[in-house]
Amino acid sequence: MATIKTRICMISDTHTSTPHPPQKTDHAYRYPLPKANILLHAGDLTKVGYRVEYEAMISMLADADAELKLVIAGNHDITLDEEYFTSFGYTRHQRPEQLGEESILLSDDNIQDTLRSSTPKTPNTDSLKAYARSIKSLWTSEAARNAGIIYLEEGIHSFTLSTGAKFTVYASPYQPEFYNWAFAYDRNEDRYNPAPAGLPQPQNPVPDYPAIDIMLTHGPPAGVLDQVPPDLNVGCENLLRAARRAKPRLYLFGHIHEAWGAQRGVWDDGAAGGIRLEDVPRDMEEMLENRGAFCDVSDGAQRPLRVGEETLFVNGSIMTVNYEARNAPWVVDLELPVSGV
């Protein structure tokens, strides 16, 4: 199969923090973001899903030098999960966040008055739905698409770049339930793998290899860049099973800030979890100079990715565990199939 070298810039968990000014050379996450063919954002765009937060993130992505910018939501992007927002999430807008006076105001005055009253009542559900849909429309608008921004719902999406690169992404904003935030599922639920015959099937399962080139989820798979103190792995076992079937070239996620990094995974049925993991080295001075952690697994690299046998995993969380925007974007060169060849 013919392929073409393609550069992908990856970030996650920005939580409304735009890149630092260019002169802040002690931060790798600074303007401008590294130029790439594709930019991926793996969710938690915002702190708590206010309109002004999304507007800031759309503006940042619009400025990025990439032909295509693919975005999913995360558990903090509560207004993009309509069911969650209208049933519980709206209560997270009752207390102001540290975002400035304008940012804590909802666009609907009736909702705002209800949430800010001393004895808050449940707002009108239709008003909440309308508000949530107005937020989503920011991401699906013609202006966003003209800027190359595409918001992805859970499922399979295919794209072709002007270079001729053609690729398919499996996207999902969901992760195991986490302190009653958005886009959550019970750990016992498997929404990614086909169920045995006769049982209810998941709506958007991950297909088998070679259907998917890139996986893009907010939460990590189990055992891969998912560790929190004290040495706990909190990723999803079912996501790992799905990735083992799909064997994508690249898998970006975030959610676990302290596990930022990249690992080359070799699929091996004899290894624990069916995978052997190797950390991708990074050099702090180079990251600061280049505004990113660069990794080349293209055909011209010293060690090209073995498609179908290996997956490059990236936890792209920009925020540290203390919510400081200090982690570098990851920038990967890899081969993607060429359309029509």
Coordinates of all heavy atoms in Angstrom, one line a residue, residues 118-166:
S118 N -30.5 32.6 45.3 CA -30.1 32.1 46.6 C -30.8 30.7 46.9 O -30.3 29.9 47.6 CB -30.5 33.1 47.7 OG -31.9 33.3 47.7
T119 N -31.9 30.5 46.2 CA -32.6 29.2 46.4 C -32.8 28.6 45.0 O -33.9 28.6 44.4 CB -33.9 29.3 47.1 OG1 -34.7 30.3 46.4 CG2 -33.7 29.8 48.5
P120 N -31.7 28.1 44.4 CA -31.8 27.7 43.0 C -32.8 26.5 42.8 O -32.9 25.6 43.6 CB -30.4 27.2 42.7 CG -29.8 26.9 44.0 CD -30.4 27.8 44.9
K121 N -33.5 26.6 41.6 CA -34.4 25.6 41.2 C -33.9 25.0 39.9 O -33.0 25.5 39.3 CB -35.8 26.2 41.0 CG -36.4 26.8 42.3 CD -37.7 27.6 42.0 CE -37.4 28.7 41.1 NZ -38.3 29.9 41.2
T122 N -34.5 23.9 39.6 CA -34.1 23.2 38.3 C -34.6 24.1 37.2 O -35.8 24.4 37.0 CB -34.8 21.9 38.2 OG1 -34.4 21.1 39.3 CG2 -34.3 21.2 36.9
P123 N -33.7 24.5 36.3 CA -34.1 25.3 35.1 C -35.0 24.5 34.2 O -35.0 23.3 34.2 CB -32.7 25.7 34.5 CG -31.7 25.4 35.5 CD -32.2 24.3 36.3
N124 N -35.6 25.3 33.3 CA -36.5 24.6 32.3 C -35.6 23.8 31.4 O -34.6 24.2 30.9 CB -37.2 25.7 31.5 CG -38.0 25.2 30.4 OD1 -37.5 24.9 29.3 ND2 -39.3 24.9 30.6
T125 N -36.0 22.5 31.2 CA -35.2 21.6 30.5 C -35.0 22.0 29.0 O -33.9 21.9 28.5 CB -35.8 20.2 30.5 OG1 -35.9 19.7 31.9 CG2 -35.0 19.2 29.7
D126 N -36.0 22.5 28.4 CA -35.9 23.0 27.0 C -34.9 24.1 26.9 O -34.2 24.2 25.9 CB -37.3 23.5 26.5 CG -38.2 22.3 26.3 OD1 -37.8 21.2 26.2 OD2 -39.5 22.6 26.3
S127 N -34.8 25.0 27.9 CA -33.9 26.1 27.9 C -32.4 25.5 28.0 O -31.5 26.0 27.3 CB -34.1 27.1 29.0 OG -35.4 27.7 28.9
L128 N -32.3 24.5 28.9 CA -31.0 23.9 29.0 C -30.5 23.2 27.7 O -29.4 23.3 27.3 CB -31.0 22.9 30.2 CG -31.0 23.5 31.6 CD1 -31.2 22.4 32.6 CD2 -29.8 24.3 31.9
K129 N -31.5 22.5 27.1 CA -31.1 21.8 25.9 C -30.7 22.9 24.8 O -29.8 22.7 24.0 CB -32.3 21.0 25.4 CG -32.6 19.7 26.1 CD -33.7 19.0 25.5 CE -34.0 17.6 26.3 NZ -35.1 16.9 25.7
A130 N -31.5 23.9 24.7 CA -31.2 25.0 23.7 C -29.8 25.6 23.9 O -29.1 25.8 23.0 CB -32.3 26.1 23.8
Y131 N -29.5 25.8 25.2 CA -28.2 26.3 25.5 C -27.1 25.3 25.1 O -26.1 25.7 24.5 CB -28.1 26.7 27.0 CG -26.7 27.2 27.4 CD1 -26.3 28.4 26.9 CD2 -25.9 26.4 28.2 CE1 -25.0 28.9 27.3 CE2 -24.6 26.9 28.6 CZ -24.2 28.2 28.1 OH -23.0 28.6 28.4
A132 N -27.2 24.1 25.5 CA -26.2 23.1 25.2 C -26.1 23.0 23.6 O -24.9 22.9 23.1 CB -26.6 21.7 25.7
R133 N -27.2 23.0 22.9 CA -27.1 22.9 21.4 C -26.4 24.2 20.8 O -25.8 24.1 19.8 CB -28.5 22.7 20.9 CG -29.0 21.3 21.2 CD -30.4 21.1 20.9 NE -30.9 19.8 21.4 CZ -32.1 19.3 21.3 NH1 -33.0 20.0 20.7 NH2 -32.4 18.1 21.8
S134 N -26.6 25.3 21.5 CA -26.0 26.5 21.0 C -24.5 26.4 21.2 O -23.7 27.0 20.4 CB -26.5 27.8 21.7 OG -26.0 27.9 23.0
I135 N -24.0 25.7 22.2 CA -22.6 25.5 22.4 C -22.0 24.6 21.4 O -21.0 24.9 20.8 CB -22.3 24.9 23.8 CG1 -22.7 25.9 24.9 CG2 -20.9 24.5 24.0 CD1 -21.8 27.2 25.0
K136 N -22.7 23.5 21.1 CA -22.3 22.6 20.1 C -22.2 23.2 18.7 O -21.3 23.0 17.9 CB -23.1 21.3 20.0 CG -22.6 20.3 19.1 CD -23.3 19.0 19.2 CE -23.0 18.2 20.5 NZ -23.6 16.9 20.5
S137 N -23.1 24.2 18.5 CA -23.2 24.8 17.2 C -21.9 25.7 16.9 O -21.5 26.0 15.8 CB -24.4 25.7 17.0 OG -24.4 26.8 17.9
L138 N -21.2 26.1 18.0 CA -20.0 26.8 17.9 C -19.0 25.9 17.1 O -18.2 26.4 16.3 CB -19.4 27.2 19.2 CG -20.2 28.2 20.1 CD1 -19.5 28.4 21.4 CD2 -20.2 29.6 19.4
W139 N -19.0 24.6 17.5 CA -18.0 23.7 16.9 C -18.4 23.2 15.5 O -17.5 22.7 14.8 CB -17.8 22.5 17.9 CG -17.1 22.9 19.1 CD1 -17.7 23.3 20.3 CD2 -15.7 23.2 19.3 NE1 -16.7 23.6 21.2 CE2 -15.5 23.6 20.6 CE3 -14.6 23.0 18.4 CZ2 -14.3 23.9 21.1 CZ3 -13.4 23.3 18.9 CH2 -13.2 23.8 20.3
T140 N -19.7 23.2 15.2 CA -20.1 22.6 14.0 C -20.5 23.7 12.9 O -21.0 23.5 11.9 CB -21.4 21.8 14.2 OG1 -22.4 22.5 14.8 CG2 -21.0 20.6 15.1
S141 N -20.2 25.0 13.3 CA -20.5 26.1 12.4 C -19.6 26.2 11.2 O -18.6 25.5 11.1 CB -20.3 27.4 13.2 OG -18.9 27.6 13.4
E142 N -20.1 26.9 10.2 CA -19.4 27.1 9.0 C -18.0 27.8 9.2 O -17.0 27.4 8.6 CB -20.2 27.9 8.0 CG -19.5 28.1 6.6 CD -20.4 28.9 5.6 OE1 -21.5 29.2 6.0 OE2 -19.9 29.1 4.5
A143 N -18.0 28.7 10.2 CA -16.8 29.4 10.5 C -15.7 28.4 11.1 O -14.5 28.5 10.7 CB -17.1 30.5 11.6
A144 N -16.2 27.5 11.9 CA -15.2 26.5 12.4 C -14.7 25.6 11.3 O -13.5 25.3 11.2 CB -15.9 25.6 13.5
R145 N -15.6 25.1 10.5 CA -15.2 24.3 9.3 C -14.2 25.0 8.4 O -13.3 24.5 7.9 CB -16.4 23.7 8.6 CG -17.1 22.6 9.4 CD -18.1 21.9 8.5 NE -18.5 20.7 9.2 CZ -18.0 19.5 9.0 NH1 -17.0 19.3 8.2 NH2 -18.4 18.4 9.7
N146 N -14.5 26.3 8.2 CA -13.6 27.1 7.3 C -12.2 27.2 7.9 O -11.3 27.5 7.2 CB -14.2 28.5 7.0 CG -15.4 28.4 6.1 OD1 -15.6 27.4 5.4 ND2 -16.2 29.4 6.1
A147 N -12.1 27.1 9.2 CA -10.9 27.2 9.9 C -10.2 25.8 10.0 O -9.2 25.6 10.6 CB -11.0 27.8 11.3
G148 N -10.8 24.8 9.4 CA -10.3 23.4 9.4 C -10.7 22.6 10.6 O -10.2 21.5 10.8
I149 N -11.5 23.2 11.5 CA -11.9 22.5 12.8 C -13.1 21.6 12.5 O -14.1 22.0 12.0 CB -12.2 23.6 13.8 CG1 -11.1 24.5 14.1 CG2 -12.7 22.9 15.1 CD1 -11.4 25.7 14.9
I150 N -13.0 20.4 13.0 CA -14.0 19.4 12.9 C -14.2 18.7 14.2 O -13.3 18.1 14.8 CB -13.8 18.4 11.8 CG1 -13.7 19.0 10.4 CG2 -14.9 17.3 11.8 CD1 -13.4 18.1 9.3
Y151 N -15.4 18.9 14.8 CA -15.8 18.3 16.0 C -16.3 16.9 15.8 O -17.2 16.7 15.0 CB -16.8 19.1 16.7 CG -17.4 18.6 18.0 CD1 -16.6 18.6 19.2 CD2 -18.6 18.0 18.1 CE1 -17.1 18.1 20.4 CE2 -19.1 17.4 19.3 CZ -18.3 17.5 20.4 OH -18.8 17.0 21.6
L152 N -15.7 15.9 16.5 CA -16.0 14.5 16.3 C -16.9 13.9 17.4 O -16.5 14.0 18.6 CB -14.8 13.7 16.1 CG -13.8 14.1 15.0 CD1 -12.6 13.1 15.1 CD2 -14.4 14.1 13.7
E153 N -18.0 13.4 17.0 CA -18.8 12.6 17.9 C -18.2 11.1 18.0 O -17.4 10.8 17.2 CB -20.3 12.5 17.5 CG -20.9 13.8 17.2 CD -21.5 14.4 18.4 OE1 -21.3 13.9 19.6 OE2 -22.2 15.5 18.3
E154 N -18.7 10.3 18.9 CA -18.2 9.0 19.0 C -18.5 8.2 17.8 O -19.6 8.2 17.3 CB -18.8 8.3 20.2 CG -18.2 6.9 20.4 CD -18.8 6.2 21.6 OE1 -19.9 5.7 21.6 OE2 -18.0 6.1 22.7
G155 N -17.5 7.5 17.2 CA -17.7 6.7 16.1 C -16.5 6.8 15.1 O -15.4 7.2 15.4
I156 N -16.8 6.4 13.9 CA -15.7 6.3 12.8 C -15.8 7.4 11.8 O -16.9 7.8 11.4 CB -15.9 4.9 12.1 CG1 -15.8 3.8 13.1 CG2 -14.9 4.8 11.0 CD1 -16.3 2.4 12.5
H157 N -14.7 8.1 11.5 CA -14.7 9.2 10.6 C -13.5 9.1 9.7 O -12.4 8.8 10.1 CB -14.5 10.5 11.4 CG -15.5 10.6 12.6 ND1 -16.7 11.2 12.5 CD2 -15.4 10.2 13.9 CE1 -17.3 11.2 13.6 NE2 -16.6 10.5 14.5
S158 N -13.7 9.4 8.4 CA -12.7 9.3 7.4 C -12.4 10.6 6.8 O -13.3 11.4 6.6 CB -13.0 8.3 6.3 OG -13.1 6.9 6.9
F159 N -11.1 10.9 6.4 CA -10.7 12.2 5.9 C -9.7 12.0 4.8 O -8.9 11.0 4.8 CB -10.1 13.0 7.0 CG -11.0 13.2 8.2 CD1 -10.9 12.4 9.3 CD2 -11.9 14.3 8.2 CE1 -11.8 12.6 10.4 CE2 -12.8 14.4 9.3 CZ -12.7 13.6 10.4
T160 N -9.6 12.9 3.9 CA -8.5 13.0 2.9 C -7.9 14.4 2.9 O -8.6 15.4 2.8 CB -9.1 12.7 1.5 OG1 -9.7 11.4 1.5 CG2 -8.0 12.7 0.5
L161 N -6.6 14.4 3.0 CA -5.9 15.7 3.0 C -5.5 16.1 1.6 O -5.6 15.3 0.7 CB -4.6 15.5 3.8 CG -4.7 15.2 5.3 CD1 -3.3 15.0 5.9 CD2 -5.5 16.3 6.0
S162 N -5.1 17.4 1.4 CA -4.7 17.9 0.1 C -3.5 17.1 -0.4 O -3.2 17.1 -1.6 CB -4.5 19.4 0.2 OG -3.5 19.7 1.1
T163 N -2.7 16.6 0.5 CA -1.5 15.8 0.1 C -1.9 14.5 -0.5 O -1.0 13.8 -1.1 CB -0.6 15.5 1.3 OG1 -1.4 14.7 2.3 CG2 -0.2 16.8 2.0
G164 N -3.1 14.0 -0.4 CA -3.6 12.7 -0.8 C -3.7 11.7 0.3 O -4.2 10.6 0.1
A165 N -3.2 12.1 1.5 CA -3.3 11.2 2.6 C -4.7 10.9 2.9 O -5.5 11.9 3.1 CB -2.5 11.7 3.8
K166 N -5.1 9.6 3.1 CA -6.4 9.3 3.4 C -6.4 8.4 4.7 O -5.6 7.4 4.7 CB -7.1 8.5 2.3 CG -8.6 8.1 2.5 CD -9.2 7.5 1.3 CE -10.7 7.2 1.6 NZ -11.3 6.5 0.4

